[in-house]
Amino acid sequence: MPEHLRDAVFTTGEARAAGIGRGRLRGGDLAHPFRGIHREGAVPGELTALCEALLPALGPSQWFSHLTAARLWGMPTPFRWSVDEPLHVLALGDTPPMRRRGVVGWETESADIPGRFLGPLPVIDPAAVWCELSVPGALGPRRAMTQEWLVAVGDFLLSGARARVRRPLCTRGSLVEAAVRHRNKRGNKALSWALERLRTGVDSPKESIFRRRSASTCVICP
């Protein structure tokens, strides 16, 4: 293996340019996390590394989104990540959606959805991700985040992770702005419901969900 491709993720095109034939790419010392993408060693068993393995296939207007972005931002979710979970990628503007095994490709006509880089990874902004979680398919085939969980995630975004110094990921105003941009899309009613029930200073999703369930069973609430 050429020196510049060792310990690196590379495409089939890059391999051919380096004089590596198809037979070598089938070697047992190489992993193929995605079609046309190779690396020495095993398929990554950690989300960030798996996202980094997909970087050579990402275009400039393709960003990690939905459930994948939520996990990269550290947002609470109803279930834990597993290596078999597909990566969610959103294509902005007139960019075609990604069609690749192990990837859920989304598309939007909007070209101005905000995003940031977490290290080398392009990730949709937290407020926009919160809205994306309300859409069927965000958590799996036809699955969207429930209203209670949207409250839990929103509480987390406004409160920050439980730590000595809390650092909220966004403001209530940015959540409202994101919900306005999402108003004509599926999930908008769930977002409106959740927005009215968000709180700050919340320590865990369990606290958020318990608060909502307690409120729904009260006959007279203060």
Side-chain angles (χ1 to χ4, degrees):
M1 188 64 62
E3 185 68 28
H4 71 284
L5 295 183
R6 291 178 182 173
D7 300 320
V9 177
F10 56 92
T11 65
T12 300
E14 290 171 329
R16 290 175 179 170
I20 300 173
R22 293 183 179 179
R24 180 65 184 90
L25 289 178
R26 299 192 188 100
D29 61 329
L30 295 181
H32 317 282
F34 302 97
R35 176 173 51 82
I37 297 178
H38 321 279
R39 57 167 278 169
E40 286 189 305
V43 173
E46 192 270 332
L47 176 61
T48 300
L50 193 61
C51 290
E52 290 176 353
L54 187 63
L55 283 178
L58 286 184
S61 296
Q62 292 178 321
W63 297 70
F64 291 108
S65 65
H66 297 77
L67 181 59
T68 302
R71 296 199 189 283
L72 291 172
W73 283 115
M75 299 179 196
T77 59
F79 50 89
R80 294 183 178 181
W81 179 78
S82 72
V83 71
D84 297 324
E85 183 177 289
L87 301 182
H88 292 251
V89 175
L90 176 65
L92 306 182
D94 57 0
T95 304
M98 181 173 285
R99 302 299 184 206
R100 190 177 291 263
R101 179 176 55 84
V103 175
V104 178
W106 298 81
E107 61 183 327
T108 177
E109 294 179 355
S110 301
D112 58 350
I113 295 178
R116 300 184 223 170
F117 280 87
L118 295 180
L121 303 179
V123 187
I124 294 296
D125 259 12
V129 172
W130 180 68
C131 294
E132 291 173 347
L133 295 175
S134 71
V135 177
L139 301 188
R142 297 181 295 278
R143 288 188 63 190
M145 193 164 272
T146 65
Q147 292 177 330
E148 286 183 339
W149 268 98
L150 287 172
V151 172
V153 174
D155 285 353
F156 170 83
L157 294 176
L158 296 179
S159 302
R162 186 176 182 179
R164 189 171 183 179
V165 179
R166 289 180 180 268
R167 291 184 174 85
L169 288 179
C170 60
T171 65
R172 187 179 297 272
S174 61
L175 290 178
V176 171
E177 291 175 5
V180 169
R181 290 195 301 268
H182 195 87
R183 62 182 178 275
N184 295 322
K185 300 177 183 178
R186 298 182 69 180
N188 65 312
K189 291 183 179 179
L191 293 173
S192 297
W193 185 92
L195 267 176
E196 297 177 357
R197 294 162 174 82
L198 300 185
R199 299 289 186 273
T200 59
V202 178
D203 288 331
S204 70
K206 289 183 178 180
E207 178 183 338
S208 299
I209 292 172
F210 178 78
R211 183 182 78 239
R212 288 309 323 139
R213 291 179 178 174
S214 296
S216 66
T217 59
C218 284
V219 177
I220 299 176
C221 293

